[in-house]
Amino acid sequence: MPQLANSSLDDYHTAVVVPLHSRSTLAEQRSSRRLNLQPKYGLGLSKVDVRYQWTGAPDAPTVIVQGGISADRHVAATDQDKPGWWSELVGNGQAIDLAHCRVLSIDWLIPADFEQSPRAISSEDQADALAALVDALGIMSVAAFVGSSYGAMVALAFAARHPNKVEKLVLLAGAHRAHPISTAQRAIQRQILRLGQA
């Protein structure tokens, strides 16, 4: 598993840098791959279409970027595209520079994506889908997994289940389990939604 060291405040003033030369040619691959997965809450092996976007310098190291539960695979803008959900941080000359790395992101899986729908989808299932996609794309190991919110939970599951496939983790606003106060707040939020629907 990647080492997570204690850091001083000075460490936060430096960026995660992939030590390679800038590339002028960028590529984008937006597609899906049919993969076999064993969902945690499923009844066995099932086929699933994993929708992904892989953008950046074609020969650069890959960085997985996954956001919160409402984020999709469209992380960064391309020349013809609308801005991605994290274009302020992912793009040419940005903190995650597409001239120095290639960003891989998926649409989060839902039960209906599976041939045999599981009862629920876990963060471990999302991590396994990403690991299977990394294998299918011929990537030996990703340089980093940048996860925010739910994406951070999936990054932790990815590192725990597939430690040889990731070199570094960058986690934002995510944890390995919910804090009791968060669980209580979500229960209140669900009650508010039920009241609104009624």
Side-chain angles (χ1 to χ4, degrees):
M1 183 165 176
Q3 295 296 315
L4 303 176
N6 293 331
S7 302
S8 69
L9 283 178
D10 292 336
D11 293 335
Y12 293 106
H13 296 289
T14 59
V16 174
V17 178
V18 179
L20 295 168
H21 299 290
S22 178
R23 279 87 164 169
S24 58
T25 305
L26 301 181
E28 179 186 17
Q29 191 177 93
R30 190 182 304 196
S31 189
S32 68
R33 290 281 174 116
R34 180 155 276 230
L35 304 170
N36 291 317
L37 292 179
Q38 172 92 36
K40 184 176 181 176
Y41 302 107
L43 299 173
L45 199 63
S46 183
K47 291 192 183 304
V48 62
D49 289 320
V50 178
R51 294 171 303 281
Y52 69 93
Q53 182 171 333
W54 197 18
T55 306
D59 59 340
T62 296
V63 174
I64 296 173
V65 177
Q66 291 292 148
I69 198 72
S70 61
D72 61 11
R73 63 185 156 163
H74 188 63
V75 176
T78 59
D79 292 337
Q80 314 86 324
D81 258 340
K82 60 180 179 155
W85 59 264
W86 224 8
S87 290
E88 295 83 15
L89 293 177
V90 180
N92 290 329
Q94 304 295 36
I96 300 174
D97 193 337
L98 295 179
H100 295 279
C101 63
R102 198 163 182 194
V103 169
L104 177 65
S105 187
I106 65 169
D107 287 343
W108 293 126
L109 299 176
I110 60 172
D113 289 331
F114 287 81
E115 213 173 49
Q116 300 172 33
S117 293
R119 295 187 311 266
I121 302 290
S122 70
S123 54
E124 291 93 345
D125 296 334
Q126 308 286 2
D128 290 347
L130 277 159
L133 179 62
V134 163
D135 286 343
L137 294 173
I139 303 166
M140 295 301 292
S141 176
V142 296
F145 192 134
V146 180
S148 174
S149 189
Y150 184 60
M153 294 172 62
V154 172
L156 286 168
F158 187 93
R161 294 169 73 85
H162 310 282
N164 60 331
K165 292 189 185 308
V166 63
E167 295 173 27
K168 295 180 177 101
L169 294 177
V170 180
L171 308 174
L172 308 166
H176 65 291
R177 66 176 178 257
H179 189 277
I181 194 136
S182 298
T183 304
Q185 288 173 332
R186 287 191 186 97
I188 293 168
Q189 291 168 341
R190 283 193 292 272
Q191 289 294 343
I192 291 169
L193 288 172
R194 288 185 191 113
L195 180 62
Q197 289 173 337

